[in-house]
Amino acid sequence: MEIHGVSAIVTGGASGLGLATARRLAAAGAKVMILDLDKDKALNAAAEIGCLGKACDVTQEEDVNAAIEEAEAENGPLRINVNCAGIPGGMRLVNKDGPVDMIRFAKVISVNLLGTVSVMTKCAARMTANAPLGQDGERGVIINTGSITAFEGQIGQGAYAASKAAIAGLTLQAAREFMPWGVRVMTIAPGLFRTPIADSIPEEVIAGMLDGRMFPERFGEPDEFASLVASIVENSMLNGEIIRLDAGVRLQAR
Ligand SMILES: NC(=O)c1ccc[n+]([C@@H]2O[C@H](COP(=O)([O-])OP(=O)(O)OC[C@H]3O[C@@H](n4cnc5c(N)ncnc54)[C@H](O)[C@@H]3O)[C@@H](O)[C@H]2O)c1
């Protein structure tokens, strides 16, 4: 799908991977709306990029519905949805005080999994009404953000790994459901990227990653994620797949 001129929603768009994505899509001519829990950061980022920005908690359905409504009213029929809103949340399944606090566990699932499902399904439902584009009759594309932790969860990452594994599991399933409408679904599973969320990753995990078993041996830059988003939008043969963007790293057992 051509990026130029189409309406796009990027969740978590005020920071990190989402911000780089919003920047990249806007630079390619998309009409972008940034959604983020942090209103000030969303508005500042939108002002800097020259796009729309709105406070939206992806776990609140009224917020999501209102945001999609506004995006379509201002920017036209929604054709691109990139879901980057997410939180870390390290916790052991059982620690010295006993089993994991289910409220903390559920919070991670709520934002990372249920928030993504809520936005992607509401966007997909709107996309079904779009006019088909080009010879393929494409109506839209949805890109979710997983993590390599989905496949190689380490100790203390249970809630996060479970939330991201569910995103991975939904990829082909959702793509199959949305195929009749010409709406694609893809997941990017990043390794370690230089964003504020990475500050919360324990130093020993980072040291364990940057240990010569990857190339290039460095953090990914947010624009490298955004560049893959743009490629996925532009390449209509990509559907129902999870792409690891991780310099070949495999998280070790620890
Ligand atoms: N940075 C990495 O190394 C890395 C690796 C793998 C996966 N990821 C995933 O990439 C995504 C983006 O992460 P990032 O590194 O850019 O982090 P980030 O903290 O820079 O950005 C995340 C954004 O999501 C927003 N957000 C949090 N909860 C929200 C909610 N309920 N509703 C709406 N917005 C909310 C935050 O305000 C923030 O602006 C996340 O899903 C994260 O799990 C990141």
Side-chain angles (χ1 to χ4, degrees):
M1 182 190 292
E2 248 191 65
I3 296 174
H4 190 84
V6 306
S7 168
I9 278 183
V10 182
T11 73
S15 176
L17 306 183
L19 175 58
T21 297
R23 243 189 224 124
R24 167 75 71 142
L25 291 177
K31 293 181 272 182
V32 177
M33 177 182 265
I34 285 174
L35 303 182
D36 203 284
L37 189 60
D38 189 321
K39 184 179 179 188
D40 290 344
K41 272 166 68 183
L43 295 180
N44 289 340
E48 181 237 309
I49 292 171
C51 67
L52 298 176
K54 192 173 172 64
C56 170
D57 181 343
V58 295
T59 68
Q60 300 302 312
E61 290 198 85
E62 335 60 274
D63 278 16
V64 176
N65 283 326
I68 293 174
E69 193 94 9
E70 191 177 324
E72 291 216 308
E74 296 286 330
N75 287 341
L78 185 64
R79 291 192 184 269
I80 301 172
N81 166 222
V82 187
N83 291 307
C84 293
I87 55 172
M91 65 196 87
R92 284 179 178 246
L93 295 176
V94 178
N95 65 26
K96 60 180 173 19
D97 300 321
V100 69
D101 175 348
M102 287 306 291
I103 293 174
R104 285 186 65 211
F105 195 100
K107 170 80 180 166
V108 177
I109 299 292
S110 172
V111 176
N112 293 1
L113 172 59
L114 303 183
T116 298
V117 172
S118 180
V119 177
M120 79 175 247
T121 53
K122 289 171 179 59
C123 287
R126 301 297 282 249
M127 288 173 183
T128 64
N130 288 346
L133 291 179
Q135 60 179 19
D136 295 326
E138 193 167 358
R139 289 188 170 83
V141 54
I142 295 164
I143 301 170
N144 293 330
T145 309
S147 167
I148 59 170
T149 308
F151 314 110
E152 294 128 31
Q154 295 180 309
I155 290 169
Q157 294 182 320
Y160 187 75
S163 71
K164 297 300 188 178
I167 301 273
L170 271 172
T171 311
L172 180 59
Q173 188 281 331
R176 284 175 163 165
E177 254 192 63
F178 302 165
M179 276 174 193
W181 301 313
V183 174
R184 294 184 288 127
V185 181
M186 289 288 293
T187 293
I188 301 175
L192 194 56
F193 275 69
R194 195 185 302 283
T195 71
I197 220 175
D199 293 341
S200 70
I201 301 172
E203 267 180 29
E204 62 271 19
V205 173
I206 292 175
M209 288 179 77
L210 304 177
D211 65 354
R213 287 189 289 247
M214 64 192 292
F215 182 82
E217 194 179 350
R218 62 169 173 81
F219 283 75
E221 296 297 335
D223 192 53
E224 293 173 312
F225 175 92
S227 155
L228 180 55
V229 167
S231 297
I232 291 171
V233 173
E234 287 170 339
N235 192 332
S236 300
M237 283 302 286
L238 285 169
N239 196 10
E241 187 54 276
I242 303 153
I243 301 179
R244 292 180 68 122
L245 188 64
D246 65 358
V249 76
R250 294 293 178 271
L251 298 178
Q252 300 305 301
R254 66 179 74 214

PDB file of all heavy atoms in Angstrom, residues 221-237:
ATOM      1  N   GLU A 221      18.164   1.194  16.659  1.00  0.00           N
ATOM      2  CA  GLU A 221      17.682   2.574  16.731  1.00  0.00           C
ATOM      3  C   GLU A 221      16.197   2.593  16.357  1.00  0.00           C
ATOM      4  O   GLU A 221      15.785   1.856  15.450  1.00  0.00           O
ATOM      5  CB  GLU A 221      18.472   3.473  15.772  1.00  0.00           C
ATOM      6  CG  GLU A 221      19.950   3.607  16.119  1.00  0.00           C
ATOM      7  CD  GLU A 221      20.179   4.261  17.487  1.00  0.00           C
ATOM      8  OE1 GLU A 221      19.300   5.018  17.949  1.00  0.00           O
ATOM      9  OE2 GLU A 221      21.223   3.984  18.098  1.00  0.00           O
ATOM     10  N   PRO A 222      15.402   3.436  17.034  1.00  0.00           N
ATOM     11  CA  PRO A 222      13.972   3.467  16.749  1.00  0.00           C
ATOM     12  C   PRO A 222      13.647   3.646  15.261  1.00  0.00           C
ATOM     13  O   PRO A 222      12.694   3.062  14.749  1.00  0.00           O
ATOM     14  CB  PRO A 222      13.475   4.657  17.582  1.00  0.00           C
ATOM     15  CG  PRO A 222      14.397   4.664  18.759  1.00  0.00           C
ATOM     16  CD  PRO A 222      15.749   4.258  18.216  1.00  0.00           C
ATOM     17  N   ASP A 223      14.484   4.405  14.529  1.00  0.00           N
ATOM     18  CA  ASP A 223      14.178   4.595  13.114  1.00  0.00           C
ATOM     19  C   ASP A 223      14.357   3.312  12.301  1.00  0.00           C
ATOM     20  O   ASP A 223      13.764   3.166  11.230  1.00  0.00           O
ATOM     21  CB  ASP A 223      15.010   5.731  12.509  1.00  0.00           C
ATOM     22  CG  ASP A 223      14.460   6.110  11.135  1.00  0.00           C
ATOM     23  OD1 ASP A 223      13.244   6.391  11.043  1.00  0.00           O
ATOM     24  OD2 ASP A 223      15.228   6.069  10.151  1.00  0.00           O
ATOM     25  N   GLU A 224      15.149   2.363  12.825  1.00  0.00           N
ATOM     26  CA  GLU A 224      15.282   1.071  12.124  1.00  0.00           C
ATOM     27  C   GLU A 224      13.987   0.264  12.256  1.00  0.00           C
ATOM     28  O   GLU A 224      13.612  -0.484  11.357  1.00  0.00           O
ATOM     29  CB  GLU A 224      16.494   0.299  12.666  1.00  0.00           C
ATOM     30  CG  GLU A 224      17.795   0.997  12.314  1.00  0.00           C
ATOM     31  CD  GLU A 224      19.024   0.387  12.964  1.00  0.00           C
ATOM     32  OE1 GLU A 224      18.997   0.139  14.186  1.00  0.00           O
ATOM     33  OE2 GLU A 224      20.022   0.169  12.260  1.00  0.00           O
ATOM     34  N   PHE A 225      13.307   0.431  13.383  1.00  0.00           N
ATOM     35  CA  PHE A 225      11.981  -0.174  13.552  1.00  0.00           C
ATOM     36  C   PHE A 225      10.992   0.523  12.596  1.00  0.00           C
ATOM     37  O   PHE A 225      10.246  -0.149  11.863  1.00  0.00           O
ATOM     38  CB  PHE A 225      11.525   0.000  15.013  1.00  0.00           C
ATOM     39  CG  PHE A 225      10.119  -0.472  15.299  1.00  0.00           C
ATOM     40  CD1 PHE A 225       9.883  -1.770  15.742  1.00  0.00           C
ATOM     41  CD2 PHE A 225       9.031   0.379  15.146  1.00  0.00           C
ATOM     42  CE1 PHE A 225       8.585  -2.208  16.018  1.00  0.00           C
ATOM     43  CE2 PHE A 225       7.736  -0.052  15.410  1.00  0.00           C
ATOM     44  CZ  PHE A 225       7.516  -1.346  15.848  1.00  0.00           C
ATOM     45  N   ALA A 226      11.032   1.849  12.586  1.00  0.00           N
ATOM     46  CA  ALA A 226      10.096   2.618  11.745  1.00  0.00           C
ATOM     47  C   ALA A 226      10.287   2.292  10.273  1.00  0.00           C
ATOM     48  O   ALA A 226       9.322   2.231   9.500  1.00  0.00           O
ATOM     49  CB  ALA A 226      10.303   4.111  11.987  1.00  0.00           C
ATOM     50  N   SER A 227      11.530   2.058   9.895  1.00  0.00           N
ATOM     51  CA  SER A 227      11.824   1.732   8.497  1.00  0.00           C
ATOM     52  C   SER A 227      11.182   0.397   8.122  1.00  0.00           C
ATOM     53  O   SER A 227      10.658   0.226   7.011  1.00  0.00           O
ATOM     54  CB  SER A 227      13.350   1.706   8.344  1.00  0.00           C
ATOM     55  OG  SER A 227      13.734   0.911   7.303  1.00  0.00           O
ATOM     56  N   LEU A 228      11.190  -0.565   9.064  1.00  0.00           N
ATOM     57  CA  LEU A 228      10.530  -1.853   8.784  1.00  0.00           C
ATOM     58  C   LEU A 228       9.017  -1.677   8.701  1.00  0.00           C
ATOM     59  O   LEU A 228       8.355  -2.288   7.858  1.00  0.00           O
ATOM     60  CB  LEU A 228      10.901  -2.897   9.853  1.00  0.00           C
ATOM     61  CG  LEU A 228      10.274  -4.282   9.664  1.00  0.00           C
ATOM     62  CD1 LEU A 228      10.586  -4.874   8.288  1.00  0.00           C
ATOM     63  CD2 LEU A 228      10.746  -5.243  10.764  1.00  0.00           C
ATOM     64  N   VAL A 229       8.468  -0.820   9.552  1.00  0.00           N
ATOM     65  CA  VAL A 229       7.024  -0.532   9.478  1.00  0.00           C
ATOM     66  C   VAL A 229       6.682  -0.037   8.068  1.00  0.00           C
ATOM     67  O   VAL A 229       5.744  -0.520   7.425  1.00  0.00           O
ATOM     68  CB  VAL A 229       6.598   0.530  10.523  1.00  0.00           C
ATOM     69  CG1 VAL A 229       5.189   1.046  10.237  1.00  0.00           C
ATOM     70  CG2 VAL A 229       6.671  -0.044  11.930  1.00  0.00           C
ATOM     71  N   ALA A 230       7.472   0.915   7.581  1.00  0.00           N
ATOM     72  CA  ALA A 230       7.200   1.485   6.254  1.00  0.00           C
ATOM     73  C   ALA A 230       7.292   0.396   5.180  1.00  0.00           C
ATOM     74  O   ALA A 230       6.450   0.327   4.266  1.00  0.00           O
ATOM     75  CB  ALA A 230       8.180   2.619   5.959  1.00  0.00           C
ATOM     76  N   SER A 231       8.297  -0.481   5.292  1.00  0.00           N
ATOM     77  CA  SER A 231       8.451  -1.562   4.295  1.00  0.00           C
ATOM     78  C   SER A 231       7.246  -2.504   4.325  1.00  0.00           C
ATOM     79  O   SER A 231       6.780  -2.960   3.284  1.00  0.00           O
ATOM     80  CB  SER A 231       9.699  -2.388   4.577  1.00  0.00           C
ATOM     81  OG  SER A 231      10.831  -1.603   4.458  1.00  0.00           O
ATOM     82  N   ILE A 232       6.767  -2.811   5.528  1.00  0.00           N
ATOM     83  CA  ILE A 232       5.612  -3.714   5.641  1.00  0.00           C
ATOM     84  C   ILE A 232       4.387  -3.070   4.998  1.00  0.00           C
ATOM     85  O   ILE A 232       3.625  -3.731   4.277  1.00  0.00           O
ATOM     86  CB  ILE A 232       5.334  -4.063   7.125  1.00  0.00           C
ATOM     87  CG1 ILE A 232       6.451  -4.945   7.682  1.00  0.00           C
ATOM     88  CG2 ILE A 232       3.982  -4.759   7.274  1.00  0.00           C
ATOM     89  CD1 ILE A 232       6.391  -5.173   9.195  1.00  0.00           C
ATOM     90  N   VAL A 233       4.191  -1.785   5.254  1.00  0.00           N
ATOM     91  CA  VAL A 233       3.029  -1.110   4.649  1.00  0.00           C
ATOM     92  C   VAL A 233       3.130  -1.181   3.132  1.00  0.00           C
ATOM     93  O   VAL A 233       2.150  -1.484   2.439  1.00  0.00           O
ATOM     94  CB  VAL A 233       2.939   0.369   5.109  1.00  0.00           C
ATOM     95  CG1 VAL A 233       1.835   1.104   4.342  1.00  0.00           C
ATOM     96  CG2 VAL A 233       2.691   0.444   6.619  1.00  0.00           C
ATOM     97  N   GLU A 234       4.345  -0.955   2.628  1.00  0.00           N
ATOM     98  CA  GLU A 234       4.513  -0.863   1.168  1.00  0.00           C
ATOM     99  C   GLU A 234       4.518  -2.210   0.465  1.00  0.00           C
ATOM    100  O   GLU A 234       4.277  -2.276  -0.739  1.00  0.00           O
ATOM    101  CB  GLU A 234       5.809  -0.099   0.856  1.00  0.00           C
ATOM    102  CG  GLU A 234       5.656   1.387   1.155  1.00  0.00           C
ATOM    103  CD  GLU A 234       6.957   2.160   1.090  1.00  0.00           C
ATOM    104  OE1 GLU A 234       8.040   1.547   1.198  1.00  0.00           O
ATOM    105  OE2 GLU A 234       6.881   3.388   0.942  1.00  0.00           O
ATOM    106  N   ASN A 235       4.814  -3.289   1.204  1.00  0.00           N
ATOM    107  CA  ASN A 235       4.936  -4.605   0.568  1.00  0.00           C
ATOM    108  C   ASN A 235       3.717  -5.470   0.900  1.00  0.00           C
ATOM    109  O   ASN A 235       3.636  -6.093   1.954  1.00  0.00           O
ATOM    110  CB  ASN A 235       6.217  -5.300   1.036  1.00  0.00           C
ATOM    111  CG  ASN A 235       6.529  -6.518   0.199  1.00  0.00           C
ATOM    112  OD1 ASN A 235       5.621  -7.158  -0.354  1.00  0.00           O
ATOM    113  ND2 ASN A 235       7.796  -6.846   0.101  1.00  0.00           N
ATOM    114  N   SER A 236       2.781  -5.512  -0.020  1.00  0.00           N
ATOM    115  CA  SER A 236       1.497  -6.172   0.249  1.00  0.00           C
ATOM    116  C   SER A 236       1.595  -7.684   0.352  1.00  0.00           C
ATOM    117  O   SER A 236       0.634  -8.343   0.766  1.00  0.00           O
ATOM    118  CB  SER A 236       0.478  -5.792  -0.824  1.00  0.00           C
ATOM    119  OG  SER A 236       0.299  -4.406  -0.813  1.00  0.00           O
ATOM    120  N   MET A 237       2.735  -8.273  -0.010  1.00  0.00           N
ATOM    121  CA  MET A 237       2.882  -9.724   0.138  1.00  0.00           C
ATOM    122  C   MET A 237       3.170 -10.126   1.576  1.00  0.00           C
ATOM    123  O   MET A 237       3.105 -11.312   1.915  1.00  0.00           O
ATOM    124  CB  MET A 237       3.989 -10.254  -0.783  1.00  0.00           C
ATOM    125  CG  MET A 237       3.569 -10.367  -2.235  1.00  0.00           C
ATOM    126  SD  MET A 237       2.132 -11.451  -2.476  1.00  0.00           S
ATOM    127  CE  MET A 237       2.873 -13.062  -2.228  1.00  0.00           C
TER     128      MET A 237
END
